[in-house]
Amino acid sequence: MWCYRGGSISAEPRINDRIRVPEVRLVGPSGEQVGIVPLAKALELAQEYDLDLVEVAATARPPVCKLMDYGKFKYESAMKAREARKNQAHTVIKEMKLRPKIDPHDYDTKKGHVVRFLKQGDKVKITIMFRGREQSRPELGFRLLQRLASDVEELGFIESNPKQDGRNMIMVLGPHKKKTEAMAEAREAQAARKAERQGYATEESADATGDAQAPAEASSEA
């Protein structure tokens, strides 16, 4: 009777002498179809091309194998996966808390943070905190949230309308830009700033060289 004794199942494809079938459907190194050939012949061709025989479709009948540099293939696949993870957009919800009777300076500061979050492609949860008698004036919080949404409407929209939650009133703003777009723009801006700094450094170096040469030229003329 079959019994599973644990251990992980490898996701790696079978290669070279680990392939245990009498024949394979062979694909050449450039993607050309060679056809169905005996396994021994496929291994012989792999050795001739100094490549690996890699099983790419194990469930096919016969299995499909390709001639390739498996080490290079694994490296390139790992780099692509790494780049995909780097560019993957993660949904982030920032939070900003305000009081219903916030003073103008604090409001501008808080609004600046909301603007920055939306530009980064993040959602923003706005919470109005009521205390004491303020709880009997929910319209103050509602008007404040509507004002904030209007002030940042070029960058975001109301994703979740204001609603009362105990002593708080909550609204969620969503960015017009997708996270991936915001990340790409941030990288472009960073690259532009770096190039600009390098340009300034080059100009300063050229000016310094010119200043150093000027006295020498004057001396030779004298």
Side-chain angles (χ1 to χ4, degrees), residues 93-100 102 110 114 124-130 141-142 144-145 148 160 162-173:
I93 299 181
K94 305 289 188 177
E95 185 170 11
M96 189 58 57
K97 296 182 179 181
L98 294 78
R99 295 295 308 282
I102 188 171
K110 300 279 189 179
V114 173
V124 189
K125 176 184 176 183
I126 313 296
T127 302
I128 305 294
M129 302 179 296
F130 296 95
F142 182 80
L144 181 58
L145 291 175
L148 180 59
S160 177
K163 63 180 179 181
Q164 196 77 25
D165 183 16
R167 295 184 178 183
N168 300 327
M169 182 175 288
I170 297 171
M171 176 182 73
V172 177
L173 295 174

Side-chain angles (χ1 to χ4, degrees), residues 96 105-119 148 152 155:
M96 189 58 57
H105 175 72
D106 285 345
Y107 174 80
D108 289 339
T109 300
K110 300 279 189 179
K111 183 181 72 175
H113 291 314
V114 173
V115 167
R116 178 163 54 86
F117 295 148
L118 292 173
K119 282 183 176 179
L148 180 59
V152 300
L155 298 170

Side-chain angles (χ1 to χ4, degrees), residues 3-52:
C3 179
Y4 176 69
R5 297 185 180 279
S8 59
I9 299 175
S10 174
E12 295 283 327
R14 293 186 295 183
I15 66 172
N16 300 327
D17 56 0
R18 290 172 53 197
I19 301 172
R20 305 288 187 179
V21 291
E23 58 184 14
V24 299
R25 185 178 296 277
L26 186 63
V27 179
S30 299
E32 68 277 16
Q33 297 290 330
V34 178
I36 298 175
V37 299
L39 176 62
K41 177 63 176 178
L43 290 170
E44 181 182 328
L45 288 172
Q47 188 173 11
E48 182 180 327
Y49 283 107
D50 195 23
L51 294 172
D52 299 297

